[in-house]
Amino acid sequence: MLRLRLKSPVDTVMREPEKDRDRPSLLIKSRPIRLKGQSGINPFKELSQKGHEMVVLVPEANYHILNGSYTTRTFKVPYTMADLDASLDIIKKGTLEAPGLLDVPKTFEMIMNFTEMQVKGCEGLLYDEPLMRSLQEQDFDLMLTDPFLPCGTIIADAFSIPAVYFLRGMVCGLDLEAAQCPSPPSYVPRLFTGNTDAMTFPQRVKNLLMVGVESILCKNVYRSFDELASRYLKKDTTYKQLLSHGAIWFMRYDYMFEYPRPLMPNMVMVGGLNCAKKKPLPADLEEFVNGSGEHGFIVFTLGSMVSELPEVKAKEFFDAFRQIPQRVLWRYTGVVPKDAPKNVKLMKWLPQNDLLAHPKAKAFITHGGTHGLYEGICNGVPMVMIPLFGDQGDNVQRMVARGVAETLNIYDITSEKLLVALRKVIHDKSYKEKMMKLSAIHRDRPIEPLDLAVFWTEFVMRHKGADHLRPAAHDLNWVQYHSLDVIGFLLLILVTVMFVTFKSCMFCFRRCLRKSQKKKNE
Amino acid sequence: MLRLRLKSPVDTVMREPEKDRDRPSLLIKSRPIRLKGQSGINPFKELSQKGHEMVVLVPEANYHILNGSYTTRTFKVPYTMADLDASLDIIKKGTLEAPGLLDVPKTFEMIMNFTEMQVKGCEGLLYDEPLMRSLQEQDFDLMLTDPFLPCGTIIADAFSIPAVYFLRGMVCGLDLEAAQCPSPPSYVPRLFTGNTDAMTFPQRVKNLLMVGVESILCKNVYRSFDELASRYLKKDTTYKQLLSHGAIWFMRYDYMFEYPRPLMPNMVMVGGLNCAKKKPLPADLEEFVNGSGEHGFIVFTLGSMVSELPEVKAKEFFDAFRQIPQRVLWRYTGVVPKDAPKNVKLMKWLPQNDLLAHPKAKAFITHGGTHGLYEGICNGVPMVMIPLFGDQGDNVQRMVARGVAETLNIYDITSEKLLVALRKVIHDKSYKEKMMKLSAIHRDRPIEPLDLAVFWTEFVMRHKGADHLRPAAHDLNWVQYHSLDVIGFLLLILVTVMFVTFKSCMFCFRRCLRKSQKKKNE
């Protein structure tokens, strides 16, 4: 077995084993074991515990390797760790210094740079012939991959094995397009628009225009994917076409986060699968949070990527925390001022889900990645959200629209603004009440999302795919799908009938006219 | 509690307790009990076993009353049992004597007559003021109803309690429209067209035309529903608007039967929930089927409605059965010829699911109702299908398209045709193989459909609805939903810009022309 590890440098700085945070491509050899309602932290661990063999392929330059019972194999990439660090720094700097969070061209440029590097890395793997040959000989049953990057999907096609996707979403909604999932722009908000599902007329105009903008920008983003796929597979294809053969799409959200909209039969929602299991806190942390008394404590992380802040920015946070009675646990590795307040505990890494599960957790300051966001929802902790880039702006909008979070902009954040937001989510009871309701509904489900993910992964292995869930829409082109040819044909008939009727009437009318004129003349 | 029993006479002739065959409206008072993965035959029994109180309201004239732990209350209707029998006879006669199974106007006429009678029955209930008052005072938590008939939905609105639907589908796809579920006519076949999901151009033309035909015919079918709802609720509403507030839609099918197509978040597929539990056969039946030896036996029923056949038609069946080595169990109450073959056992009622579950069951002759059809799928028995009316023609098409059934027309059936079809599904191994594959996939699921139905029913009671699954599309009108206003606005801007640009160019051009002419003239 082989786990193809094509890590996105964007979300993998955290070196702790948060194994479900990555974008892995897994090749799995199945063991004929049926699911018996077990539960765990992520489907990879779960699958390996159930006896499936897995291998992860790791690029030479990468941020961390997962611990677990899978073999890893390394492949060469045309970039170094220094290159990765440099590209990360550009993103961080851009995020902290630019005012526009929903800056579409900037975001697309970031995505372009990121995917370009990853496509090069993918080439390093695909054209490593000895490695690829040895993988093919191992006769895998399944590819589990995040289609945000193309390598897993291309290999699944090359090896003729079913692919199962595990994703938050794709740029320009390519996931929905490839799955033939309808997504009416009248109530399904597009990324980067800041729209909710209830839009005013101008917002709907913006949303529809975004569909057009996306289709132009995305041609550039996915061109390199199309080119690589066609070149490597030696056939004229597009990435979307390859994607459309995916057996199951695991979507890392549910309707606590996403707005209700159509789904396709092979889309399975597994939002919150990361916060199923909670461990007790280490003794020192337990002591610290219990010492917070009735005021409770605040958990603060900006995700795996940003553990440092410019001194001047960090000062605003320290100043705000000095003025509140709550204790604060902050994942922070930057410069610490001499007068740092004593109610703040700085840590290189913190057990986020376990802390949020603590009854004294009062608020969660987060950048709004879906993992952290779901840990907030699972544990019913209101949030102050500081989105940094990518989908985070949209994620945050969704939580704010539900009345369970306040949002701040990292660019112009001040201690005053932070204090106002924190006091609001802690003291205005409506935030906690709405969050508890959201949490209750999220946790009230007929089957755990993790079990669902394991079940469907094994289902695909048992049945060599999930063809019975594939809609016939895949066999239609755009014109056929929208019945435009049929409508055109019916219009043609209608026009012909009207034309013939009109001509016949005119003919009769003229004859009658002539006759009556003749009569008059007589 | 009250169970509003608004039975459709069409599918309730069978007097045996096949409790899930009806179209009930249930008012339920919840008990705070959580589901623990139990299983059973139908959700009503399951819910009552879990301590929820239920009441069923029975029209005076009805075919059978359910046995179970719910209270029943009777209401007056302006028709008698004789009227019901007469209307049934018309349908039966029409079915056996008319050649066109997919005769759309005839089917719509039947539906019209049927719903008209039911609407009158519903009026009898709604305007029984003492009864309605006493019901309202009982403070129910939920209405469980088949929206094929309007009474349950209207009462849910009147009592301000959530409604949960349990259905196979609605005429003209009103269920999909009311749930805002996209259903592209390019690959989602319409009822009565005989189309599959892979359509040729002419078939797609027929499918799109059917959308138009439906919208005209359905105005008549649903007009009486709209009128009754508006009149009783004293507000200007339509049945579709009322339906759209349904919390959960239980669809009595899955993708073994239905073609893959979009779903909405509050649609839950529970196909095959009727064949979960199997009982051993009574001793005499066990002896009879075991006596069939290696040839096995055939199960033959034409559903709850048709247990008799005209003598001449029945003769064709007896003649065919005489020529096969299999034994036949036939639910038949008609005239028996003197020379009836000995391999045929005639019964007033037969335990269909238990028989099909027997390893010696070789084929299933059925009319193609979804209940029987799923019992065939669950137990992996190939079918010879003789559709009679309603959705049965389309149900049968789906099974034939999957290569697990042969179909015959009751109008021109002969013993030869029957023999050919029977021998095909019994001896051509592909039917059995495909059916076993279908059956395996159907039974390979993360949670039993019955448990799913019970879970979501209780979920709605716990959370007083399922608002988090309601798409914002419900707040848009047709023009807004399809973004036609936005497209119009953008086109207007485009045309204006083009017009202004053109006029400006023309102005410049003329000035230039004039200048150059002036120059020439100088």
Side-chain angles (χ1 to χ4, degrees):
Chain A
M1 310 312 164
L2 156 76
R3 170 131 185 248
L4 298 171
R5 184 156 166 58
L6 304 162
K7 286 290 302 114
S8 130
V10 171
D11 66 350
T12 62
V13 181
M14 193 173 286
R15 282 154 213 255
E16 290 300 318
E18 295 214 2
K19 296 180 199 87
D20 46 318
R21 296 191 73 93
D22 46 39
R23 296 211 167 87
S25 299
L26 270 158
L27 282 165
I28 303 176
K29 201 178 239 173
S30 76
R31 284 287 163 267
I33 302 163
R34 280 297 303 275
L35 177 72
K36 292 278 179 206
Q38 294 153 311
S39 192
I41 286 295
N42 71 50
F44 320 132
K45 189 176 145 195
E46 198 75 16
L47 287 165
S48 86
Q49 276 177 356
K50 296 184 75 198
H52 304 296
E53 295 172 45
M54 287 178 256
V55 175
V56 50
L57 205 59
V58 192
E60 267 182 345
N62 75 85
Y63 279 103
H64 75 276
I65 300 168
L66 304 184
N67 303 321
S69 44
Y70 11 73
T71 317
T72 54
R73 293 180 73 172
T74 312
F75 63 91
K76 286 196 176 169
V77 285
Y79 51 81
T80 62
M81 278 306 289
D83 294 331
L84 276 185
D85 287 337
S87 94
L88 261 182
D89 278 342
I90 291 172
I91 296 175
K92 280 192 215 173
K93 252 192 172 168
T95 301
L96 296 172
E97 287 168 12
L101 175 72
L102 298 174
D103 183 339
V104 178
K106 199 187 90 188
T107 306
F108 270 84
E109 199 192 316
M110 263 171 51
I111 293 169
M112 283 287 288
N113 292 338
F114 169 69
T115 52
E116 232 166 73
M117 192 176 242
Q118 294 299 320
V119 165
K120 275 181 199 156
C122 181
E123 275 183 338
L125 169 60
L126 292 176
Y127 288 97
D128 183 340
E129 280 185 29
L131 180 55
M132 287 297 284
R133 210 176 307 121
S134 100
L135 294 178
Q136 187 139 27
E137 280 163 7
Q138 279 178 273
D139 203 16
F140 292 104
D141 296 299
L142 183 96
M143 167 67 79
L144 181 57
T145 184
D146 184 338
F148 194 84
L149 297 176
C151 224
T153 310
I154 294 175
I155 292 177
D157 189 275
F159 289 5
S160 300
I161 54 174
V164 167
Y165 306 132
F166 187 71
L167 70 159
R168 151 70 181 97
M170 291 180 73
V171 183
C172 307
L174 192 75
D175 48 339
L176 302 182
E177 270 190 49
Q180 294 284 0
C181 184
S183 172
S186 51
Y187 75 99
V188 180
R190 290 313 189 256
L191 275 181
F192 309 126
T193 56
N195 287 338
T196 70
D197 60 346
M199 298 178 235
T200 61
F201 183 77
Q203 284 172 332
R204 286 197 292 117
V205 172
K206 187 179 173 187
N207 214 45
L208 195 69
L209 285 176
M210 194 50 154
V211 174
V213 171
E214 275 182 347
S215 74
I216 296 164
L217 290 175
C218 275
K219 268 192 188 147
N220 291 322
V221 173
Y222 290 116
R223 187 177 293 142
S224 57
F225 289 25
D226 295 345
E227 191 274 327
L228 178 62
S230 296
R231 176 157 47 91
Y232 182 73
L233 298 171
K234 295 189 181 72
K235 62 181 177 186
D236 190 25
T237 189
T238 63
Y239 188 49
K240 189 170 122 184
Q241 269 173 15
L242 287 188
L243 275 182
S244 77
H245 292 282
I248 298 286
W249 297 76
F250 290 123
M251 314 307 282
R252 292 200 283 101
Y253 48 75
D254 63 9
Y255 295 113
M256 298 309 105
F257 163 76
E258 189 54 286
Y259 299 113
R261 55 167 179 75
L263 270 189
M264 292 309 282
N266 60 349
M267 291 165 97
V268 179
M269 291 205 168
V270 293
L273 114 169
N274 52 310
C275 44
K277 273 195 179 164
K278 284 143 199 166
K279 289 190 295 285
L281 293 174
D284 60 328
L285 276 191
E286 183 68 40
E287 200 189 318
F288 181 78
V289 300
N290 272 329
S292 66
E294 58 171 321
H295 295 299
F297 66 94
I298 294 165
V299 182
F300 177 18
T301 78
L302 289 177
S304 47
M305 199 183 126
V306 183
S307 70
E308 294 180 29
L309 283 174
E311 265 188 84
V312 54
K313 203 128 298 211
K315 191 179 174 299
E316 300 292 335
F317 286 93
F318 282 114
D319 284 351
F321 296 151
R322 190 174 290 115
Q323 300 172 58
I324 54 171
Q326 282 80 25
R327 291 193 168 179
V328 180
L329 289 113
W330 182 4
R331 178 177 176 267
Y332 181 69
T333 59
V335 179
V336 183
K338 278 177 193 163
D339 61 342
K342 285 189 178 151
N343 63 333
V344 180
K345 185 177 178 73
L346 302 174
M347 302 171 75
K348 271 193 175 175
W349 174 86
L350 47 78
Q352 190 167 281
N353 191 42
D354 303 334
L355 278 171
L356 291 170
H358 196 283
K360 283 189 190 295
K362 294 288 176 199
F364 178 27
I365 308 176
T366 170
H367 62 305
T370 45
H371 275 86
L373 186 153
Y374 264 103
E375 289 173 355
I377 292 177
C378 290
N379 298 301
V381 182
M383 303 184 274
V384 170
M385 306 185 89
I386 306 170
L388 301 178
F389 44 73
D391 59 342
Q392 293 161 11
D394 289 273
N395 299 348
V396 166
Q397 280 273 353
R398 280 162 168 69
M399 292 295 100
V400 171
R402 283 178 165 80
V404 299
E406 282 289 304
T407 181
L408 295 170
N409 192 337
I410 189 74
Y411 173 69
D412 58 5
I413 201 164
T414 63
S415 57
E416 288 75 32
K417 286 182 186 173
L418 187 61
L419 273 175
V420 169
L422 273 175
R423 284 177 179 150
K424 223 169 169 181
V425 302
I426 293 173
H427 299 299
D428 181 339
K429 280 181 185 167
S430 79
Y431 290 87
K432 181 70 179 175
E433 277 166 13
K434 282 176 186 161
M435 193 49 137
M436 289 308 286
K437 202 176 163 192
L438 212 64
S439 186
I441 294 176
H442 170 70
R443 284 179 285 119
D444 193 359
R445 53 200 170 201
I447 182 168
E448 289 300 309
L450 179 66
D451 293 338
L452 210 53
V454 172
F455 172 83
W456 281 110
T457 307
E458 293 193 320
F459 180 98
V460 172
M461 290 195 272
R462 277 194 292 276
H463 301 281
K464 320 237 172 280
D467 285 348
H468 70 297
L469 300 179
R470 184 176 167 82
H474 287 298
D475 305 323
L476 302 175
N477 61 36
W478 191 83
V479 169
Q480 291 169 329
Y481 178 90
H482 291 97
S483 296
L484 298 182
D485 51 350
V486 174
I487 292 169
F489 172 73
L490 293 177
L491 280 181
L492 189 70
I493 291 181
L494 187 73
V495 169
T496 311
V497 168
M498 280 170 64
F499 180 75
V500 170
T501 312
F502 177 75
K503 280 287 175 190
S504 313
C505 287
M506 285 301 286
F507 178 73
C508 295
F509 179 70
R510 271 194 216 121
R511 276 193 71 140
C512 293
L513 209 70
R514 226 175 287 159
K515 268 189 187 169
S516 61
Q517 271 184 332
K518 254 188 190 175
K519 267 192 182 172
K520 261 189 189 174
N521 295 348
E522 286 166 7
Chain B
M1 305 315 163
L2 157 76
R3 170 129 185 249
L4 298 172
R5 181 152 168 61
L6 303 163
K7 284 293 300 114
S8 130
V10 171
D11 66 351
T12 63
V13 181
M14 192 173 287
R15 281 154 213 256
E16 291 299 319
E18 294 213 1
K19 295 178 199 88
D20 46 315
R21 296 191 72 94
D22 44 39
R23 297 212 166 87
S25 300
L26 269 158
L27 283 164
I28 303 176
K29 202 177 237 169
S30 76
R31 285 285 163 271
I33 302 164
R34 278 298 302 272
L35 176 73
K36 292 280 179 204
Q38 292 152 312
S39 192
I41 287 294
N42 70 51
F44 320 132
K45 188 175 144 196
E46 197 76 16
L47 287 164
S48 86
Q49 276 176 356
K50 296 183 75 197
H52 302 297
E53 294 171 45
M54 286 179 255
V55 175
V56 50
L57 206 59
V58 192
E60 268 182 346
N62 74 83
Y63 279 103
H64 73 278
I65 300 167
L66 303 184
N67 303 321
S69 43
Y70 12 73
T71 316
T72 54
R73 294 179 74 172
T74 313
F75 62 91
K76 287 198 175 164
V77 284
Y79 51 81
T80 62
M81 277 307 288
D83 295 332
L84 276 185
D85 286 337
S87 95
L88 261 182
D89 278 342
I90 292 173
I91 296 175
K92 279 192 216 173
K93 251 191 171 168
T95 302
L96 295 172
E97 289 167 10
L101 176 73
L102 298 174
D103 183 340
V104 178
K106 200 188 89 189
T107 306
F108 270 85
E109 201 193 316
M110 264 170 52
I111 293 169
M112 284 287 287
N113 292 338
F114 170 69
T115 51
E116 231 165 75
M117 191 177 245
Q118 294 298 320
V119 165
K120 275 181 200 156
C122 181
E123 275 183 339
L125 169 60
L126 293 176
Y127 289 97
D128 184 341
E129 281 185 28
L131 179 56
M132 288 297 284
R133 210 176 308 122
S134 100
L135 294 177
Q136 187 139 29
E137 280 162 7
Q138 280 178 272
D139 204 15
F140 292 104
D141 296 301
L142 183 97
M143 166 67 78
L144 181 58
T145 185
D146 184 337
F148 193 84
L149 297 176
C151 224
T153 310
I154 294 174
I155 292 177
D157 188 275
F159 289 5
S160 300
I161 53 174
V164 167
Y165 306 132
F166 187 70
L167 69 160
R168 150 72 180 98
M170 290 179 74
V171 183
C172 307
L174 191 75
D175 48 338
L176 302 182
E177 269 189 50
Q180 294 282 2
C181 184
S183 170
S186 51
Y187 75 99
V188 180
R190 289 314 188 254
L191 275 182
F192 310 126
T193 55
N195 286 338
T196 71
D197 60 345
M199 298 178 236
T200 60
F201 182 77
Q203 285 172 331
R204 287 198 292 117
V205 171
K206 187 178 172 188
N207 213 46
L208 195 68
L209 285 176
M210 194 51 153
V211 175
V213 171
E214 276 182 346
S215 73
I216 296 164
L217 290 175
C218 276
K219 267 192 191 147
N220 292 322
V221 172
Y222 290 116
R223 188 177 292 141
S224 56
F225 289 25
D226 295 345
E227 192 275 326
L228 178 62
S230 296
R231 177 157 47 91
Y232 182 73
L233 298 170
K234 294 190 182 69
K235 62 181 178 186
D236 190 24
T237 189
T238 64
Y239 188 50
K240 190 170 123 185
Q241 268 174 16
L242 286 187
L243 275 182
S244 77
H245 292 282
I248 297 286
W249 296 76
F250 290 123
M251 314 307 281
R252 292 199 281 102
Y253 48 76
D254 62 10
Y255 295 113
M256 298 308 105
F257 163 75
E258 188 54 288
Y259 300 113
R261 56 169 177 73
L263 270 190
M264 291 311 281
N266 60 348
M267 291 165 98
V268 179
M269 291 207 169
V270 294
L273 113 169
N274 52 309
C275 45
K277 272 194 180 164
K278 284 143 201 168
K279 290 189 295 285
L281 293 174
D284 60 328
L285 277 189
E286 184 67 41
E287 200 190 318
F288 180 79
V289 300
N290 273 328
S292 66
E294 57 170 322
H295 295 298
F297 67 94
I298 294 165
V299 183
F300 177 18
T301 77
L302 289 176
S304 47
M305 200 182 125
V306 183
S307 70
E308 294 179 26
L309 283 175
E311 266 189 81
V312 53
K313 205 132 290 215
K315 190 178 175 299
E316 299 292 336
F317 286 93
F318 282 115
D319 283 352
F321 296 151
R322 190 175 290 117
Q323 301 172 56
I324 54 170
Q326 281 80 24
R327 292 195 168 179
V328 180
L329 290 113
W330 182 4
R331 179 179 175 265
Y332 181 69
T333 58
V335 180
V336 183
K338 279 180 193 162
D339 61 341
K342 285 189 179 151
N343 62 333
V344 180
K345 186 178 179 70
L346 302 174
M347 303 171 76
K348 271 193 175 175
W349 175 85
L350 47 77
Q352 189 168 280
N353 191 42
D354 303 335
L355 279 170
L356 291 169
H358 196 282
K360 283 191 189 292
K362 293 288 174 199
F364 179 27
I365 309 176
T366 169
H367 62 305
T370 45
H371 275 86
L373 186 153
Y374 264 103
E375 289 173 357
I377 292 176
C378 290
N379 298 302
V381 181
M383 302 184 275
V384 171
M385 306 184 91
I386 307 171
L388 301 179
F389 44 74
D391 58 342
Q392 293 161 11
D394 289 273
N395 299 349
V396 166
Q397 280 273 351
R398 281 163 167 70
M399 293 295 100
V400 171
R402 283 179 165 81
V404 299
E406 282 290 303
T407 181
L408 295 171
N409 192 338
I410 189 75
Y411 173 70
D412 59 5
I413 202 164
T414 62
S415 57
E416 288 75 33
K417 287 182 185 172
L418 187 61
L419 273 176
V420 169
L422 273 175
R423 284 177 180 151
K424 222 168 170 183
V425 302
I426 292 173
H427 298 299
D428 181 341
K429 281 182 185 166
S430 79
Y431 290 86
K432 181 70 181 177
E433 278 165 13
K434 283 176 186 160
M435 194 47 138
M436 289 308 285
K437 203 176 163 192
L438 212 64
S439 187
I441 294 175
H442 171 71
R443 283 179 286 118
D444 193 1
R445 54 201 168 198
I447 181 168
E448 288 301 308
L450 181 65
D451 293 338
L452 210 54
V454 172
F455 172 83
W456 281 111
T457 307
E458 294 193 318
F459 180 98
V460 171
M461 290 195 271
R462 277 194 292 277
H463 301 282
K464 318 232 172 286
D467 286 348
H468 70 297
L469 301 179
R470 183 177 167 81
H474 286 298
D475 305 323
L476 302 174
N477 61 36
W478 191 83
V479 170
Q480 291 170 329
Y481 178 90
H482 291 98
S483 295
L484 297 182
D485 51 349
V486 174
I487 293 169
F489 173 73
L490 293 177
L491 280 180
L492 188 72
I493 290 180
L494 188 71
V495 169
T496 311
V497 169
M498 280 171 64
F499 180 75
V500 171
T501 313
F502 176 75
K503 279 287 176 190
S504 311
C505 287
M506 284 302 286
F507 178 74
C508 294
F509 179 69
R510 270 193 216 122
R511 276 192 71 142
C512 291
L513 209 69
R514 224 175 290 161
K515 268 189 188 168
S516 60
Q517 271 182 330
K518 253 188 192 174
K519 265 192 183 171
K520 262 191 189 171
N521 297 347
E522 285 165 7

